[in-house]
Amino acid sequence: MAETVLSFVLDQLSTFLREEGRLLGGLRQEVQFIRDELGHMRAFLREAEAKEEDAQPRLQEWIKQVREAAYDTEDILDEFVARFARHRTTGFYGSFRRIFSSIKNLRARHRVASQIQSIKFRINSISEGHQRYQSEYGISAQASSSLSAVNNTTWRYSRDDALLVEEAKLVGVDQPKKHLISQLLQGDDYQLKVVSVVGMGGLGKTTLVKKVHEDLEVRRHFPVRAWVTVSETCDFQYLLIDLIRQLHEEGKKPVPQSIESMTTTELKKIVKDFLQQAGRYAIVFDDVWDVEFWNTIKFALPESSHGNRVMLTTRRADVASASCIESRRFVYRMEPLSIEDSWTLFCNKIFNGGTCPGHLMDVAKGILDKCEGLPLAILAISGLLASKDVNRIEEWEMVRCSLGVELEGTGKLDRVKKILFLSYSDLPWHLKICLLYTSIYPEDYKIGCLRLVNLWIAERFVEWREGMNIEDVAWSYLSELVNRSLIQVTGVFYEGMPGNCRIHDLLREIIISKSREQNMVTITTGQPTRWPSEKVRRLIVHTSSSNNTQHHEQTQNYCFDHLRSFVTIGSTSPLLSRMLLSEVSRGSKLLKVLDLRGQKTQKEIPNEIFKMFHLKHLDLYGTGVERVPKGIGKLQHLEYLNLGNTGVGELPIEILKLQKLRVLKVYQRVDPSDDDYGRHGFKALFNMGGLLSLEILSCMDASSGCITVKEIGKLTQLRELAITKLRRDDGKELCSSLANLTNLHKLSVYSIGKGDDHEIIDLNHHNPSLSSSSCSFLQSLRMLILCGRLEKMPQWVAHLHSLVRIDLDWSRLRGEEDPLESLQHLPNLGEINFCGSYQGEGLYFKAGGFLKLKELHLKRMEGLRWMRVEEGALPRLQKLFLQQLPLLEELPVGIQHLSQLQELTLYEMSSQLREELLENQKEESEDYTRIAHIPEILIGYYTDDWKWREHQLWEKKKKKKT
C-alpha cells in the first residue's frame, strides 16, 4: 500500500511542478530531487511490500518512513501554494500588494525552504536504507515482477485443494453443474464453443468446473481433455509445455523431445497440430486474469468440425466476455450460495451433517451472514469453529466479534484472506487507492455510486486522460472494480449507470485492515476511542447511537493541521458533528473535501470554511443550510458545490468568481413527500454564462426570462442541465441554447406550476427535417425529463439516437398525440417513465417497436382504459410497473407475449381488476395462463380502512421457478 500512496503523491508532485512550479523559484530543483528520489524507491517498494507481512520490523518501519515522507512533502507544498498563490492580481494595486506580500512572507518563504531541506535530508537517509535493504533482502528494482510471481505462486497452487473436495461435501453445485454440462454438450459440431465462468474469488468456480470436467458423460463425449491452471503470473511458455504434455498423455502418444527449448510460436503450432488430428476436445483454462492471455492462446485452438469446447474461469467480466466474442457466447456468472445451501454447508462441516444446537443458533447465523454465501469463507470459518467447544457460546461470540482480526492474522482464515487479497494486489495503484477509500463506509451501508465517484475526484485519486472528461474517467474506475468482482452493483439509476453498490463483508474487512495499516482514513462514531498516533489526514464520522456530551476532550487537544478530508456518513450526533466541524474549521488549512451530507442540524456554513484556500469539494446536500454567504467567492479552487435539498433559493453574485466550478447543484422538491411534481431551483444570476467550467447545473430558475435562458448557450461544457419554471415564451430561446451544448447527457426541464396548473412547455422549435444542424442537436443526450404540460411531443425527440431513458410528467398529451409514436423506434431506449403524461384511452405497442426497452412505468394516467401489446413488441421488457390507473379494468392484452418479463407491479389499480386477480389464482383461469410465466407479481392497494396491503401473486409458482 505504501507503493500505492507513493504513486499517488508522485502524481501530485508532477502536477504541482507543472502547474505551480514557477512559484518555487530556487526551490524547484530541491522539490524535483525529492520527486526523483521517491520515484527510484517506488519499484523497490513493490517488492518490499510483497514481503512486508513476513518482514522484520526494521523493513516495515522503513516502508512507513517512505509513506510519511511522501505525505509530508505534499503537505509542505500545499501550505506553500496556499500562502504564495493566493494573490495573483495585476496593475498598480496588484504590484504594490505583491511587494508588500513578498516582504511580509519573506520569513515564511525561509521556513518553507527549511522544511523542504529537512524533507530532502530525510529522503537521503531513507535512500541509504533503500540501498541497505536491497542487499539485505536480495531485492533488486529490476526484479520487480519475478519476486511477486514467486511469492504468489508458492501458495496459489493451494487452490488445487478445491479440486480435492469430496463430492459429498459439496453444496449447491448440482444445478449449476447440470446447466454447464448441457451447455457443453448441446449445439452443433462445427464451431468452437467457449463457456466462461466468472465471479469473485472464493465462490467455488474452480470446484464447479472441475466437477463438470470430470463428469462421466463429459469424459465420454470429449475423449481429449486437459486442465491448465493459468494464474495471475503465469509463464506462458511453461503453460504451453504443460498443455502439450497433458494432451499427449491423454492421447497415449510420446511427448515431443526438446520442447523446453522451443519458442512459444513453435509450441502453439504443436498444440494446434495435435488438436486438429485428435478429434473432439475439451480444455479448461482455470484462473485467467488477463484478456491478452485469451487473445494469445486462441490461435493454438483449432475450430475443426468436432464440436470442440473450452471452459474458462476468471474473476474478471471483461475476460469472460472477450473469450466468447468469436464463438457462440455463453458466460455463466457464479452466484453466492443461497441462505439454505450456506447453512447446509456450515452444518455439514461443523456438526457432520447434524443440526446446530439451539443455544448457538443466533451467533451461528451472525457468523454465517458475514460469509454472504462465499463457500471458501464458510469452509474456512467452519474449520475455525469446529475446534471450539459447542457448549461455550462465548467462544463462538468471540469469533463473531473478531472476524476482522482473524483475517489480519494467520491460521484458519489465512487462505480466505490470500484468495481475496489476490484480487486487490492485481490492481494498478489508482484502483487500489479507490478501493481502499470504500473503507469510509460502515458495514452494510448502501453506497451511492455518484457520491463515491465525486469523492474520488475530490480526493485527486482520478487521473486526467487525454480526450476524456474527469467524471467519465472516475466512472470507468468504478466499472473496472465491478468488472473485477470487487464491487457489487445493487441498484441501477438508469441503463448503464449504477445507482448503488456494496462491498462483500469479508473483502471489506481486508480493505479496512489495509486502510488502517496505512493510516489512510480515521473513523470515529463519537464513542470513547483512542486516536491514532499518526497524523489524521481523512476524518470520517459515522452514525452514533449514543447521545454524546462528553467527547469534547477527545478533540480539543487534537491537531488537524494535516487534515485533507472531513466526511460524515449517515446522520451523526449533532453535538459531535458541531464540535468536530469547529475544530476542523479552526485547525485545518489544507482541507480539500468537506462533506456534511444529511446533517439536518447544520443550519449555516461556518465563515472559517471560506479561509480554506485548497477546498475543492463542498457537499451540503440535505442539510439545514438556508443561505450562502458572500465569502463563497474566496474559494477559488472549489470545483464541486452541492446544495441539493437544502433551504437555499438564491446564490450571491460572488459565486461567479468560481472559475473552476464544475458542479453546481441547488434545488428542493416542489412536494417533499412526492417526487412526481419536480423541483424548485435557485434564482438565475445574470452572466451565468461566465462559469465556463460548469459541467453540471441543477436547477436554475428560468422565470426571469429569456436573457438567463440565453446564458445557458455559453456553457458549452455542460453534461447535465436542469432548469425549472420555464415559461412557454422562452422555449424557442432554450432550443437555441441547447443547440450549442454538444456534450449534454442529461436534460431536465420543469415548467411553472404543479399538476394541472403546469404552464405549457413549448420546445417544438427545432425541426430535424429542416435544420442543417439536425445531425448534432442533442445527439449525446442519454436521459430526458420533461415535467409540465406539452401540446405535442417535440419533433427532435424521435431523433435522439443515444437516449436511454425518458420521463414525461404531467404532459397531459391528448389522445391524438400518442407519445409512443415518437419513441418506439429509438434504438437505445431502455426505460420509460410516464406520470400523468397522456389523456388518451389506450396505449398500443406495435410489433417491432421498443426493441431495447427493459423498464416501463405508467402512473397517474386517469383516462387509460386499455393497453395492447402486439407479438414482437417490447421483446426485452423485464419490468412493468402500473400505478393509479383507475379505469384500467383488465391486464394488458398480449401480456403473454412479453417472454422476458420478470416483474409485474400493480399499485392502486381499479377494484375490479384487483379482485379478479386475487380471486382467480387457479391454473385453469384465463388470467393465470396469461401471466404464469412472470416470476414476480405484486399487487398493492389500500383497504377500506385506508390500510396499505401488498399481495404477492403466484407465490407457490414463483418458488417452483426459483
Side-chain angles (χ1 to χ4, degrees), residues 850-863:
F850 301 101
L851 297 181
K852 291 278 188 75
L853 200 71
K854 292 183 178 178
E855 296 190 28
L856 176 59
H857 297 244
L858 304 177
K859 185 177 181 182
R860 290 177 168 171
M861 295 164 65
E862 288 84 358

Side-chain angles (χ1 to χ4, degrees), residues 731-732 735 761-768 792-796:
K732 184 174 183 179
C735 286
I761 297 176
D762 183 9
L763 296 179
N764 222 355
H765 296 284
H766 183 89
N767 190 333
K792 58 176 63 178
M793 284 284 286
Q795 295 183 41
W796 46 264

Side-chain angles (χ1 to χ4, degrees), residues 306-319:
H306 302 293
N308 302 317
R309 301 290 185 261
V310 169
M311 294 191 75
L312 178 147
T313 72
T314 180
R315 304 182 186 199
R316 296 183 52 169
D318 60 339
V319 173

Side-chain angles (χ1 to χ4, degrees), residues 304-492:
S304 74
S305 59
H306 302 293
N308 302 317
R309 301 290 185 261
V310 169
M311 294 191 75
L312 178 147
T313 72
T314 180
R315 304 182 186 199
R316 296 183 52 169
D318 60 339
V319 173
S321 296
S323 64
C324 299
I325 287 174
E326 295 172 11
S327 66
R328 288 179 299 149
R329 179 187 299 269
F330 183 76
V331 176
Y332 181 79
R333 177 163 287 281
M334 193 92 174
E335 298 293 341
L337 293 179
S338 66
I339 294 174
E340 293 80 5
D341 285 339
S342 296
W343 184 252
T344 300
L345 182 61
F346 185 77
C347 292
N348 284 350
K349 179 72 174 178
I350 301 177
F351 308 113
N352 294 318
T355 58
C356 176
H359 66 282
L360 292 177
M361 193 70 74
D362 288 342
V363 65
K365 287 182 177 178
I367 292 170
L368 200 59
D369 284 345
K370 284 277 190 183
C371 299
E372 295 187 53
L374 200 67
L376 175 71
I378 296 170
L379 288 170
I381 291 174
S382 300
L384 177 65
L385 291 170
S387 63
K388 305 297 181 183
D389 188 341
V390 295
N391 295 313
R392 299 187 60 184
I393 189 172
E394 65 272 15
E395 291 190 8
W396 283 54
E397 285 284 5
M398 193 176 298
V399 172
R400 178 168 68 169
C401 296
S402 62
L403 267 177
V405 178
E406 292 281 356
L407 283 166
E408 288 183 42
T410 57
K412 296 282 186 181
L413 299 185
D414 189 46
R415 177 166 156 74
V416 178
K417 176 183 176 181
K418 285 181 175 178
I419 288 284
L420 296 177
F421 186 72
L422 186 60
S423 293
Y424 166 80
S425 65
D426 182 57
L427 296 171
W429 73 264
H430 60 277
L431 291 183
K432 280 182 181 176
I433 204 165
C434 286
L435 185 63
L436 287 182
Y437 192 75
T438 61
S439 62
I440 71 172
Y441 295 103
E443 183 179 4
D444 297 326
Y445 189 83
K446 186 167 70 173
I447 302 171
C449 296
L450 184 59
R451 185 186 189 187
L452 178 61
V453 298
N454 278 315
L455 284 171
W456 284 347
I457 293 169
E459 296 281 5
R460 299 188 296 179
F461 298 157
V462 182
E463 298 177 300
W464 287 92
R465 292 182 187 171
E466 189 68 31
M468 285 188 72
N469 175 276
I470 191 71
E471 275 204 348
D472 287 341
V473 178
W475 282 108
S476 75
Y477 286 10
L478 180 66
S479 296
E480 182 65 13
L481 290 170
V482 171
N483 171 50
R484 291 170 177 258
S485 304
L486 291 167
I487 287 181
Q488 303 163 3
V489 174
T490 56
V492 177

Side-chain angles (χ1 to χ4, degrees), residues 666-711:
V666 189
Y667 58 84
Q668 314 88 36
R669 291 176 181 170
V670 171
D671 184 340
S673 64
D674 196 332
D675 242 355
D676 293 335
Y677 293 106
R679 297 176 175 183
H680 291 304
F682 66 93
K683 291 184 179 179
L685 298 167
F686 292 108
N687 300 321
M688 278 293 293
L691 292 174
L692 297 178
S693 296
L694 270 187
E695 296 176 8
I696 297 176
L697 176 58
S698 174
C699 269
M700 190 179 82
D701 185 329
S703 61
S704 55
C706 67
I707 295 177
T708 54
V709 173
K710 191 172 183 177
E711 287 288 297

